């Protein structure tokens, strides 16, 4: 039995581009670092888009499997992170088309407040507001929802969102404007 010469810890300080090149050459440890580095944000994205933690995990796992297979095709014209967002979003949208949309009430993370038991009225109000936001997000069309999540939750730039969604920055801006307006109307009573 032979030992591996590299571990994921050794590549943690390397840039994504170099790790992707190594992974494309078959270095599983480099790919493991990329998975570790990008797994959580992609999972958060998938949870917001799909509204179901199990489906989100399946989508992200499928996205990484697809990325592993397609690494030799990766051209480095975009950051690895953006490339993974595109693969994940595409997988999520495919999953949404195949099954009826559902968005559980706990899909949007609540801000943590000190001791929730000491403030039951505030906790109930936060739960109701979270449920209202979940319903409002579910009512957005898929393009608006994805753009809003990528911008407001994941913090991507307009240019990165345009690359992920394969649209123009102007289209992204329009979708975000309409999503924000719809969410503002839906959340008006919670101000």
């Amino acid at each position: 039995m032979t030992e591996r010469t590299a571990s994921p810890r050794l590549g943690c300080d390397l840039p994504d581009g170099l790790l992707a090149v190594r992974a494309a050459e078959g270095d599983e440890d480099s790919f493991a670092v990329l998975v570790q580095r990008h797994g959580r944000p992609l999972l958060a994205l998938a949870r917001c888009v799909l509204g179901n933690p199990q489906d989100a995990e399946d989508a992200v796992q499928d996205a990484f499997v697809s990325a592993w297979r397609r690494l030799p095709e990766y051209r480095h014209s975009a950051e690895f992170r953006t490339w993974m967002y595109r693969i994940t979003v595409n997988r999520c949208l495919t999953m949404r088309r195949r099954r009826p949309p559902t968005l559980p009430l706990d899909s949007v993370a609540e801000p943590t407040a000190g001791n929730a038991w000491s403030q039951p009225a505030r906790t109930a109000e936060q739960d109701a507001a979270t449920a209202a936001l979940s319903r409002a997000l579910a009512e957005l069309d898929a393009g608006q929802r994805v753009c809003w999540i990528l911008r407001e939750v994941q913090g991507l730039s307009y240019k990165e969102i345009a690359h992920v969604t394969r649209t123009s920055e102007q289209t992204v801006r329009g979708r975000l404007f309409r999503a924000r307006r719809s969410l503002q109307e839906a959340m008006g009573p919670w101000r």
Side-chain angles (χ1 to χ4, degrees):
M1 185 168 162
T2 61
E3 281 186 35
R4 284 189 165 175
T5 57
S7 73
R9 288 260 180 247
L10 294 177
C12 286
D13 58 341
L14 297 176
D16 287 352
L18 181 56
L19 290 168
V21 168
R22 287 181 173 184
E25 294 170 350
D27 183 353
E28 293 176 11
D29 290 330
S30 291
F31 192 71
V33 171
L34 291 168
V35 169
Q36 181 180 11
R37 189 176 288 173
H38 299 286
R40 284 183 190 221
L42 291 173
L43 188 57
L45 166 67
R47 281 184 185 144
C48 288
V49 173
L50 296 171
N52 179 310
Q54 292 81 19
D55 289 346
E57 288 176 13
D58 289 346
V60 172
Q61 182 176 359
D62 289 350
F64 276 119
V65 168
S66 176
W68 174 253
R69 290 182 183 142
R70 295 171 47 198
L71 269 171
E73 301 168 20
Y74 175 56
R75 300 289 180 230
H76 305 279
S77 59
E79 291 182 35
F80 179 82
R81 171 181 85 131
T82 307
W83 187 62
M84 282 304 306
Y85 274 104
R86 178 187 292 176
I87 294 170
T88 304
V89 165
N90 288 341
R91 181 66 188 133
C92 289
L93 293 177
T94 299
M95 290 176 78
R96 284 187 62 83
R97 281 191 295 271
R98 290 186 182 157
R99 55 180 75 120
T102 59
L103 193 62
L105 300 180
D106 63 349
S107 67
V108 178
E110 292 183 39
T112 56
N115 182 350
W117 294 107
S118 66
Q119 303 169 348
R122 185 174 182 190
T123 301
E125 185 175 334
Q126 287 176 341
D127 288 346
T130 299
L133 180 59
S134 294
R135 285 189 301 274
L137 281 171
E139 291 175 11
L140 294 176
D141 75 40
Q144 291 175 7
R145 183 175 36 257
V146 166
C147 286
W148 187 86
I149 291 167
L150 289 172
R151 179 68 181 166
E152 303 300 335
V153 178
Q154 299 294 324
L156 269 65
S157 69
Y158 293 119
K159 184 176 182 178
E160 290 172 318
I161 296 169
H163 186 78
V164 168
T165 59
R166 293 184 181 184
T167 59
S168 68
E169 286 185 55
Q170 185 175 359
T171 300
V172 169
R173 289 179 192 280
R175 287 178 179 173
L176 283 169
F177 174 79
R178 289 186 297 279
R180 288 173 178 149
R181 185 176 56 196
S182 295
L183 291 174
Q184 186 176 22
E185 288 173 14
M187 298 304 292
W190 296 99
R191 291 183 179 208

